[in-house]
Amino acid sequence: MKRMIIASLFLVTACKEEKKETQIQVQHESFPKEIKTSENKPNEAEEAEKWLKESIENYFKADLNMDREMQKITTKDYYDYKTDAMNVDMDVDGSLTLKEFQDKWKNKFDVRKAGVNSGFLITGQDWEEIKVSKCEQVLKSVPLLKSEPVVFIFDVILSDKKLKAEYPVEIEVVKENNSFLIANVSQE
């Protein structure tokens, strides 16, 4: 009888504890099907969002140093991937055919959303003043392994009011070594 009472107390206590981690199903191709999420650091998402907005707007102000700015705000893999995507079937050194591009990157990125032959972040070639008109967090993942980065996914709309253009994109931001980097941009 005593054992049953003690076991019941443990069970009641365990049920009352708040759970800080949950399992969610993710239908995003660049992540495993299940990702552990955590609410322990809500300010991290706000920091990532602020960093993303500033980085995007600074990138479009860079004008002549855009390639260097892109390298500063993206992971090496994403930079190489997007550079290849922008140069598919172009007459430049290292340019790939569409098939070569897809074969090279299909295991790391969703090549259907690479924005082939379009620029970084926007599909337009000309712009006046790009601003972030929407930036909403869709998902934050806490890695299952310590070697994996924390990932934030944002639905973003970039707007150029002077040219009356809007560019909706989904941007993955990773946190590694206490800094943020763009790890992927899904463009149609």
Side-chain angles (χ1 to χ4, degrees):
M1 180 75 167
K2 285 183 184 180
R3 289 182 187 171
M4 185 179 268
I5 293 172
I6 292 173
S8 296
L9 287 174
F10 281 124
L11 184 60
V12 170
T13 305
C15 290
K16 286 186 176 183
E17 284 185 22
E18 282 188 43
K19 207 169 182 191
K20 295 194 180 194
E21 286 191 350
T22 58
Q23 291 283 337
I24 62 171
Q25 293 292 322
V26 178
Q27 299 302 320
H28 197 277
E29 295 176 13
S30 61
F31 294 111
K33 293 293 180 207
E34 287 189 1
I35 296 178
K36 285 187 180 178
T37 62
S38 173
E39 293 97 35
N40 289 341
K41 297 181 181 178
N43 291 336
E44 237 178 19
E46 291 170 11
E47 290 173 30
E49 182 179 328
K50 181 181 176 191
W51 174 87
L52 183 60
K53 288 177 181 178
E54 289 174 4
S55 296
I56 290 171
E57 291 181 5
N58 288 339
Y59 168 77
F60 285 101
K61 290 176 186 173
D63 206 26
L64 297 175
N65 297 318
M66 293 185 88
D67 187 63
R68 188 164 20 110
E69 283 298 311
M70 182 179 165
Q71 283 180 313
K72 284 176 22 182
I73 64 172
T74 61
T75 63
K76 180 176 180 356
D77 272 353
Y78 179 74
Y79 174 80
D80 293 341
Y81 165 72
K82 185 57 185 176
T83 301
D84 282 350
M86 290 189 291
N87 294 322
V88 165
D89 291 327
M90 298 281 243
D91 192 19
V92 295
D93 287 340
S95 165
L96 304 171
T97 66
L98 182 57
K99 175 138 179 48
E100 290 171 333
F101 169 76
Q102 291 170 338
D103 289 344
K104 179 179 179 180
W105 293 106
K106 68 183 175 189
N107 294 327
K108 285 192 176 186
F109 295 94
D110 182 356
V111 295
R112 296 169 299 167
K113 296 182 179 186
V116 171
N117 296 123
S118 59
F120 173 56
L121 298 170
I122 65 170
T123 55
Q125 292 188 2
D126 295 319
W127 68 88
E128 291 290 322
E129 185 178 10
I130 299 290
K131 294 286 184 186
V132 177
S133 60
K134 174 186 170 189
C135 186
E136 293 178 359
Q137 182 184 359
V138 178
L139 177 72
K140 173 190 172 188
S141 75
V142 176
L144 300 174
L145 304 173
K146 287 186 178 185
S147 61
E148 297 173 342
V150 175
V151 178
F152 303 89
I153 299 176
F154 295 94
D155 274 334
V156 177
I157 296 179
L158 304 174
S159 301
D160 188 337
K161 289 185 180 182
K162 292 181 181 178
L163 295 181
K164 296 179 176 123
E166 286 193 336
Y167 306 98
V169 291
E170 184 179 271
I171 301 176
E172 295 175 24
V173 174
V174 295
K175 183 172 185 182
E176 293 179 314
N177 303 324
N178 294 321
S179 65
F180 299 104
L181 293 170
I182 295 172
N184 193 15
V185 178
S186 294
Q187 296 174 282
E188 297 298 322

